[in-house]
Amino acid sequence: MKDTLSWKQGIKRNRYELYLAFDDGRFASYHLFANYSKYQANDLLLKLFEGNSFVGIEENGRVFYYRFSQIIRMESQKVSLKLGKKGLF
């Protein structure tokens, strides 16, 4: 059974970074955490819009809201979080 994506790190082995470009030229990045190592960008996007019809980003004190249809580019990256003797490094 795979571990679900969460917004808080806790004790997780992977950090997923989702990068989005919107139709007005703004960019945003979102970070999610999980032990499961094979999530794809679509999984991250579904989690981002889960229960919400839009997402917001803040830029210089102003908040901009975007719907799924306003995304023009999407990329994701997985970063392994390795535990050492002194914690995360």
Side-chain angles (χ1 to χ4, degrees):
M1 186 169 146
K2 65 183 179 182
D3 182 44
T4 58
L5 291 161
S6 69
W7 293 107
K8 295 183 181 179
Q9 183 175 347
I11 300 175
K12 304 293 183 186
R13 292 188 312 222
N14 300 294
R15 179 181 74 220
Y16 290 91
E17 299 171 355
L18 176 66
Y19 303 101
L20 301 177
F22 299 103
D23 59 1
D24 65 355
R26 288 189 173 81
F27 298 88
S29 67
Y30 301 91
H31 299 246
L32 297 109
F33 300 88
N35 287 322
Y36 184 66
S37 62
K38 297 187 182 189
Y39 280 113
Q40 302 295 317
N42 289 337
D43 299 319
L44 305 178
L45 198 59
L46 287 173
K47 180 67 175 180
L48 182 65
F49 281 96
E50 182 181 70
N52 302 306
S53 59
F54 58 86
V55 294
I57 62 171
E58 183 179 349
E59 182 180 282
N60 297 326
R62 293 183 60 200
V63 178
F64 300 89
Y65 296 100
Y66 297 96
R67 296 192 181 280
F68 179 81
S69 61
Q70 292 175 281
I71 298 170
I72 59 170
R73 187 170 176 196
M74 169 179 65
E75 294 180 19
S76 68
Q77 179 178 348
K78 180 185 79 165
V79 178
S80 293
L81 301 173
K82 298 183 180 183
L83 291 173
K85 292 180 182 179
K86 296 183 181 180
L88 291 173
F89 65 96

